[in-house]
Amino acid sequence: MGQLIRILSRATAKPYKTAELEFEERPYLNVNGHVDFKPDDIENPHNWSNPRRWFLTGTFVSAPLSNSPGVLADLWGPVERGFTMAVFSCMVWVGPALGPVVGGFLELTKNWRWSFYVLLWLGGATAIPMFTIPETFGPMILVHRARRIRKAKIPGYENVKAPVEESDRSLLGIYKVALTRPWIILFDPISFLCAIYMSVVYMLLYMLFTIYPIVFQQRRGWNSGVGELPLIGTVIGSFIGAVIVFFDSKHKTKKMQNGIPIKPEDRLTLALIGGVLFPATMFWFAWTAEFK
């Protein structure tokens, strides 16, 4: 129980006691005079315990796809992020693949309403932990720390600020960045091409949920439960991909620890392999769909 409380509690409660606003040591400032994370700072999300980070990752990735990568970037470093992103992507494929399987057998044994009952139970169970989620964005954690320091009125640090407080934090400034930055990223050639590719991949993924019933139920006469079981192949493939990325990330971590620099392009090897295998397997499925 104590470990669970530690995972769910705020980072500032371990060991900092924010209610008392007492600082046993001088606040850490960077070269620009701003409040910053010191080495091995317990409030830095990158230094949180693995159980805590995995809990937050699992909770946050239930949010839309646009939010999840940001949370992963908050909690994990560049090298570790590869594996966590693979786990996230794996769940994106596993969840939609298992849903029709469960729904198909519920339709056979109960009725169609039970699919919504299960979704209601899962939604209610995951909504409860949402109230315990702390801030994971490093710059905002530093803002809260700077406010605590100013409130504590530590001599010499009465006007200390976090780096983000020097920027335009007005509502207009926030909206300006939020509404313009996505378009800037979109029209970057690499981002634009990746967005198109991922659109095609996800389009084909969700088309499978319509195509599989046609191929295995209408063409082969399987029932609504057994006819969805081929989607388990998607689950198995997702786990295999996550395992491959895990060992690849471990290999890159060892290289970095040995002083070998790691470039973003080093991740393209697996992407190139997947880019060839994905259309090949889709063609394979389409070629055999009419087989009897």
Side-chain angles (χ1 to χ4, degrees):
M1 187 63 182
Q3 180 68 16
L4 180 61
I5 294 175
R6 179 175 176 82
I7 293 174
L8 297 180
S9 61
R10 289 186 58 188
T12 50
K14 307 186 293 290
Y16 306 115
K17 303 296 183 181
T18 57
E20 301 175 2
L21 292 173
E22 294 181 358
F23 290 82
E24 298 180 357
E25 57 184 23
R26 298 177 63 182
Y28 182 81
L29 306 181
N30 59 23
V31 294
N32 297 320
H34 295 142
V35 175
D36 204 347
F37 294 122
K38 61 183 179 181
D40 299 325
D41 197 321
I42 196 172
E43 288 195 55
N44 189 344
H46 287 182
N47 296 327
W48 291 355
S49 65
N50 281 330
R52 178 182 175 84
R53 289 190 290 178
W54 278 113
F55 171 80
L56 293 174
T57 301
T59 304
F60 268 112
V61 296
S62 61
L65 297 178
S66 59
N67 292 354
S68 305
V71 177
L72 296 178
D74 290 343
L75 298 175
W76 305 92
V79 177
E80 297 172 309
R81 197 180 305 153
F83 174 60
T84 56
M85 193 66 187
V87 174
F88 159 67
S89 301
C90 179
M91 295 301 104
V92 171
W93 288 73
V94 169
L98 288 180
V101 177
V102 176
F105 283 103
L106 284 175
E107 183 180 348
L108 288 176
T109 56
K110 299 292 185 179
N111 55 57
W112 61 269
R113 292 183 177 86
W114 275 84
S115 297
F116 294 93
Y117 294 156
V118 172
L119 291 176
L120 183 62
W121 297 336
L122 292 175
T126 55
I128 296 174
M130 295 294 289
F131 293 99
T132 67
I133 294 175
E135 177 65 68
T136 62
F137 188 44
M140 287 307 301
I141 295 177
L142 292 176
V143 169
H144 298 323
R145 174 183 288 185
R147 290 173 180 172
R148 297 199 310 270
I149 294 173
R150 291 196 296 267
K151 188 174 181 180
K153 297 180 180 179
I154 302 175
Y157 297 91
E158 294 87 350
N159 298 317
V160 71
K161 293 183 178 181
V164 72
E165 291 182 291
E166 295 290 345
S167 60
D168 184 7
R169 299 299 297 170
S170 65
L171 186 61
L172 179 61
I174 294 174
Y175 270 98
K176 181 180 178 180
V177 173
L179 295 177
T180 58
R181 183 173 294 173
W183 295 100
I184 297 174
I185 297 175
L186 177 63
F187 289 105
D188 175 76
I190 296 178
S191 300
F192 181 71
L193 294 175
C194 287
I196 293 177
Y197 177 74
M198 293 305 297
S199 299
V200 174
V201 169
Y202 279 103
M203 176 190 68
L204 293 174
L205 167 65
Y206 290 103
M207 282 180 62
L208 289 179
F209 305 142
T210 303
I211 296 172
Y212 270 46
I214 297 175
V215 173
F216 294 103
Q217 296 179 36
Q218 296 182 17
R219 306 294 296 182
R220 288 169 170 77
W222 298 1
N223 60 46
S224 59
V226 177
E228 300 290 356
L229 286 178
L231 283 171
I232 294 180
T234 304
V235 178
I236 297 174
S238 300
F239 280 115
I240 292 175
V243 171
I244 293 174
V245 174
F246 170 74
F247 285 106
D248 181 69
S249 297
K250 294 283 287 185
H251 175 67
K252 288 182 171 56
T253 301
K254 291 181 180 179
K255 289 178 60 177
M256 187 178 65
Q257 292 174 347
N258 293 331
I260 302 176
I262 302 297
K263 298 181 295 183
E265 290 79 5
D266 292 337
R267 298 189 185 276
L268 285 178
T269 304
L270 295 181
L272 291 172
I273 297 174
V276 174
L277 292 180
F278 182 76
T281 53
M282 295 300 293
F283 179 79
W284 186 0
F285 170 71
W287 186 269
T288 58
E290 290 292 333
F291 177 77
K292 295 184 180 180

